[in-house]
Amino acid sequence: MGNGSSLPVQEGQPLRLVCIDDSNPPARVSWTRDSLTLQPSQPSNPGILEFPRVELVNHGRYVCQAQHLLGSLEASVSLLVKTPLKLFGPSCSWEGEDIHCHCSAQSQ
């Protein structure tokens, strides 16, 4: 994926974000989401973030930063968590001799 791109993911699906650096000596790789530092899924490989089940709270901009003696580079991806359509209702009420029912739906 390109730097700064958006990645739509269905809620509940597994996801693995991989950041690969190619430097000698190896760079120090770290992840942030919306400016908060994240712990890598595998401490031995800090370039991997795994989500066994994506949740709505995982929505946000993820940045991988590689710091090296000669400088640093970063790449980002915006995770857009999609939720399935949920139907609420119906809620019904009597108005005189008529019954009125309302239902609503929500999705992201």
Side-chain angles (χ1 to χ4, degrees), residues 6-103:
S6 295
L7 177 62
V9 179
Q10 185 71 35
E11 183 181 33
Q13 296 296 311
L15 175 69
R16 176 186 280 188
L17 296 178
V18 179
C19 182
I20 300 171
D21 69 288
D22 184 16
S23 62
N24 192 4
R28 187 172 60 93
V29 176
S30 61
W31 283 96
T32 58
R33 184 187 101 213
D34 300 331
S35 301
L36 298 173
T37 301
L38 302 173
Q39 296 299 318
S41 302
Q42 303 171 9
S44 61
N45 192 346
I48 295 177
L49 273 183
E50 289 183 298
F51 303 86
R53 184 176 155 81
V54 173
E55 303 292 338
L56 195 54
V57 296
N58 300 131
H59 184 90
R61 182 174 176 258
Y62 289 78
V63 177
C64 172
Q65 184 177 43
Q67 294 180 321
H68 189 266
L69 297 171
L70 300 176
S72 66
L73 291 173
E74 64 180 40
S76 68
V77 63
S78 292
L79 188 61
L80 306 174
V81 180
K82 298 176 137 194
T83 58
L85 183 64
K86 296 176 186 174
L87 186 61
F88 301 98
S91 64
C92 299
S93 61
W94 285 98
E95 293 184 17
E97 294 181 358
D98 298 328
I99 187 168
H100 292 268
C101 295
H102 300 276
C103 63

